[in-house]
Amino acid sequence: METSKLLGLTIYELVATTARAAFLQDNGRFGLFKTDEAYHLTHTSVGRNVISEFVRDGRKHGAAIGIAATIFVCAFWPSDLVDLADVEPAGITVLP
């Protein structure tokens, strides 16, 4: 992998990890972590862990996550990210 791409992935992970530390704590305020190009987070172990923590524990800490991507297909969302039997998604809209 090129150095510039590796640096870009590292920055995505750093921002996500910082958001987790800032928002998934009980501070009495609501926090929303929004990110685009979600592919860069859903296909790394660090990114999947951060997203999974937001999905599973965000509500009890007053936090949420909003992710966006140019193209959303079933293969895009790794099956190990969220066990949908445990988490009921608020809603996903796919535009043609």
Side-chain angles (χ1 to χ4, degrees):
M1 180 180 291
E2 294 177 26
T3 305
S4 61
K5 290 187 180 199
L6 185 59
L7 179 61
L9 287 175
T10 303
I11 290 173
Y12 272 102
E13 291 178 350
L14 178 63
V15 169
T17 303
T18 303
R20 176 179 53 192
F23 296 136
L24 294 181
Q25 59 180 330
D26 296 324
N27 60 11
R29 299 182 316 174
F30 176 77
L32 173 64
F33 171 47
K34 298 188 310 182
T35 184
D36 197 1
E37 300 297 341
Y39 170 85
H40 298 297
L41 287 179
T42 61
H43 285 75
T44 66
S45 60
V46 172
R48 283 194 303 271
N49 288 338
V50 169
I51 292 172
S52 182
E53 286 184 49
F54 267 94
V55 170
R56 294 184 186 279
D57 296 332
R59 187 172 61 158
K60 74 179 173 185
H61 295 292
I65 187 169
I67 59 175
T70 306
I71 299 173
F72 192 94
V73 295
C74 292
F76 174 81
W77 194 265
S79 61
D80 65 334
L81 182 60
V82 176
D83 180 4
L84 294 179
D86 295 335
V87 178
E88 184 176 322
I92 297 173
T93 304
V94 179
L95 302 174

